Amino acid sequence: MHSVVLTKGVPDFREGQVSFDEDGHLERGDTPTVMNPNDKFALRAALQTKVRHGGRVSLASMGPPGYKEILQEGMRDVYADDLYLLSDREMGAADTWATAMTLATGIDQFEEEPDLLFAGFKTADGETGHTGPQTAWCLDWPTITHVVAFEVDETERTIRAKRLVEGDVSEIETVEAPLPAFVVTDPEFEASYRTARERLRYKDFRAETQERAAAYEDHLTVWDHEDLNLDPDYIGLDGSPTIVAGVDPIPKAPSEREATMVDPDEMDPVFEELQPFAGAD
Amino acid sequence: MTDDYEHYEAVVVGAGPGGAAAAVQLANNGVETLVLERGVESGSKNVSGGLIYAEESAPYTIDGLFPEFRAAASERPVTNYYLHNVAGERVKTFDVTPLHEHDTEWSDAVLRRKMDSWLEQRVHEETRETGGGLLTGVRVNGLLREGGEIVGVTCDELEPITADLIVAADGVNSELARDAGLMDWEEPDEWFQGVKAVVDMPAGAVEERFDIDEDEGVAHLFSGDLFEGARGGGFLYTNESTLSIGTVFHLDSIVDESVEPQQLLDRLLTHPLLAQWLGDDYTELEYGAKLVPDSKKVANPSPHRGRLLLVGDAAGQMQAQGPIIKGMNHAVTAGALAAEAFVEARSRGDPTDAGERYEHKLESEGVMAKLRPRRYELAATLGENDTVTSITDSLLQSPLGRIGVRAADKLGVLDWGYTSPFLAMMMPDTRTPYVTMPRVIAEELGTRVTDESTVEPPALDERIGDLTYDVDDPHIELVDESYEASGAAVTACPVSAEDFGGGCYRAETIQTNGSTERVVSLDTQPCVECGTCAVVAETDWDHPPGGKGVEFKQG
Ligand SMILES: Cc1cc2nc3c(=O)[nH]c(=O)nc-3n(C[C@H](O)[C@H](O)[C@H](O)COP(=O)(O)OP(=O)(O)OC[C@H]3O[C@@H](n4cnc5c(N)ncnc54)[C@H](O)[C@@H]3O)c2cc1C
Ligand code: SF4
């Protein structure tokens, strides 16, 4: 089984790390960047797949060169066999769509086609949660979100997952999809190892990955747009159908968030609008 | 049906000294060995005094099995050993180094978190080579049986596991020994209760205050009237930069005298004799407690059933040789002998014969003779009854007895008595050697300590507050809440006390239909898993699941 996990860096919102200015707005320069905490659940899900079925876990991100350390963090704190950073200036300022395009191309680039693609549920800096599903859409893979537990059937080449319906912990459904598939783990995801052999393997892998993380650059591949054979017009800012019109500074942790329901029918025109950009193949 | 389960040649339950020794010896002989330890890390559940001995007469020692042990995992060698007889502020001290050195190749002070976690790494490396390994955070909760035969273990965290050999090295509160019907938790007089504080020392203070070099260490023992008549004594051992100070009492005397263990510890800590060592800045790093089996009464001479072999405290192999406590070394020996027995049995094509071979080795290697000395059994029948105790006690305290004590001192008989391993082995479990004799000696021969103690030990709620807990569902169930059945736990539990609401056990008076009734309630949150209430109260006693409950940082 080859699993690829997507991650990104976010400001470290933990007490003592994060810094806000007088108006209570995040000071990005003074706040260290860390791996999106929710992505660690995705990485744990990939590790569980490796423990149970063997294979390999690749951790990938698109972002500035400094994201190397975010990849190292994932390798050290959870697990990775190898790291991939999609990084060059042309990819900069991409919106979620152009990011997804780039990531999908990167995933296509692996010599061994991945069986599973994992991502965490939303990033901690208030991002949309689009990038993952859009990447899966570009790859034309089934997507299962809010996954809290799963099993892979290697012979049938399927995945059976328990997911929270509407992200609600009180309602859980079981779904099945053919591989390759895209899995978005919920923060409620918990890896489960019920045999001693699995736990011993897990222990071996954890020891190995910590050792590997000390020399992580030996396991890192950096791809730029040329390596991926990407036309600069389709990536980065130029390839972004949406433009960030203005940036609201990230306010100090709001105690509650408000969600507005969207009528799916109203979204159709938006999808149509975006359609031409998806015609990569 | 059990064919579907995971199988290992050997499963070792518990990674204390007994489990570590068994596992490494099995691994050295190529036996596929899985070790299961319930703590987050080995040592996180363990409390000891502790001096680990390497006996000259023992077939196995910890450094024989783990060559780097002394340099990496222990604190200091014990080079001097003293016994203090205390009567109020009068103290008479004997140098008992000869007793300590008898049959001793070396002896080091250890702290269990450091020691066991170091052993854990070595054991994991060695057993991993065999296809097994060591897992922490896994609690074995019972024996797996098929057709009445023991075939493996069941766990909270894992699916059942079958094995050709099951070594129960799960300590004094062994659930497996009880599941197999090989040990019980009935009689308080079969157990000791050990309570201990680890005290921080400023840099260089251990060397300065005890007048020793970096590679030297001291042990001090205390007996006499400083413990309200409870039978037992206190100890102080020097570690690298801390002190281990504690008490070990016969559990029945804690119950009978209704004494509070933590208060007895405080009486020791605040005695003026300790002022010279503790200084003015008392900082307690950790408070802990654990039951200690008395091998003279509980060491099971046939500690096996089918594929199950008990080693160490689980089999009651804890020897109180007078004031000297030897549990860890016997656990090591027994663990390695159990492994040896299995390897032999396997090579002869009959692994089921391991238990018999193990039993035979405990005899032929002289282990049982140390654990249950015949001399003691003889002396006990003569000396361990109330009439004899009160006659010797009143004789000792009479003018004649006191003259005798002074004369004995002049003749050097007391020195001889205190350093005689022969006498130490047959010391009766009565008030006489623990309380009366030391008190009379101190009164007659002792000198007054002039130092003043400024030590203020932390209150019980602070001690509880300083410990780390990962609280789970209650792991002990109070089966009979009447005061008659379970009231003893209110004082005997080392984290409970009369008039203290923040501990495990509390006594309450309730009104029912006009009559009042005293009942006991239990809250396991601050439990240090010592096992005391399993013996002194009516409980259904289990360990918490793997990684849950109290976590000792020092041990
Ligand atoms: C205060 C005090 C002072 C002492 N002083 C000394 C001394 O100076 N010298 C000396 O030699 N001895 C001393 N002892 C006794 C000594 O600590 C024990 O005899 C010794 O630790 C026994 O070793 P063991 O390997 O049998 O058990 P333990 O060291 O108790 O190890 C048992 C292990 O099994 C694990 N375990 C238990 N149940 C389960 C389960 N269900 N599943 C998985 N794992 C489990 C535990 O977490 C633990 O790690 C003292 C004891 C006390 C309390
Ligand atoms: S509740 Fe029982 S096991 Fe827990 S500390 Fe008290 S006496 Fe010991």
Side-chain angles (χ1 to χ4, degrees), chain B residues 476 492-496 504-505 522 526-534 541:
Chain B
I476 307 169
C493 168
V495 289
S496 304
C504 291
Y505 283 92
L522 168 66
C527 172
V528 292
E529 300 160 32
C530 71
T532 298
C533 63
W541 203 100

Side-chain angles (χ1 to χ4, degrees), chain B residues 120-239:
Chain B
E120 175 195 322
Q121 298 301 324
R122 303 288 87 69
V123 169
H124 179 63
E125 283 161 21
E126 299 288 329
T127 50
R128 196 77 191 103
E129 299 276 313
T130 69
L134 182 151
L135 293 173
T136 53
V138 177
R139 169 185 165 245
V140 173
N141 58 23
L143 293 163
L144 180 70
R145 290 181 173 87
E146 193 177 55
E149 297 252 318
I150 296 166
V151 294
V153 294
T154 57
C155 314
D156 287 349
E157 293 77 16
L158 301 176
E159 300 299 325
I161 299 166
T162 60
D164 304 333
L165 169 72
I166 302 142
V167 177
D170 48 346
V172 63
N173 300 321
S174 171
E175 289 171 77
L176 296 188
R178 285 169 183 90
D179 188 338
L182 291 168
M183 297 288 281
D184 66 35
W185 252 326
E186 303 297 328
E187 301 301 328
D189 71 345
E190 296 176 345
W191 310 90
F192 301 97
Q193 184 198 57
V195 171
K196 166 178 156 179
V198 179
V199 181
D200 196 30
M201 287 277 110
V206 174
E207 287 82 6
E208 208 174 291
R209 294 181 196 171
F210 291 87
D211 192 21
I212 50 175
D213 287 339
E214 260 173 35
D215 53 357
E216 292 176 327
V218 196
H220 291 276
L221 296 177
F222 310 89
S223 61
D225 72 355
L226 78 175
F227 300 120
E228 301 179 11
R231 280 182 291 117
F235 62 84
L236 181 157
Y237 306 139
T238 51
N239 299 318

Side-chain angles (χ1 to χ4, degrees), chain A residues 4 19 34-35 56 67 73 106 141 155 172 200 215 225 247 259 265:
Chain A
V4 177
S19 113
V34 292
M35 180 177 176
R56 146 176 172 231
Y67 269 31
E73 182 188 334
W141 289 7
T155 33
I172 292 180
L200 289 167
H225 76 278
V247 180
D265 292 342

Side-chain angles (χ1 to χ4, degrees), chain B residues 361-417:
Chain B
K361 283 172 191 293
L362 288 174
E363 274 297 332
S364 63
E365 294 289 354
V367 180
M368 278 319 285
K370 290 175 189 165
L371 297 174
R372 298 194 82 133
R374 284 218 181 81
R375 245 178 269 139
Y376 165 78
E377 299 199 356
L378 201 71
T381 36
L382 292 175
E384 251 171 54
N385 65 58
D386 289 348
T387 328
V388 177
T389 304
S390 53
I391 293 172
T392 34
D393 267 19
S394 36
L395 179 68
L396 260 174
Q397 295 177 79
S398 71
L400 189 67
R402 286 171 188 273
I403 291 168
V405 165
R406 281 200 295 269
D409 183 48
K410 287 218 177 69
L411 293 169
V413 174
L414 287 182
D415 277 311
W416 171 80

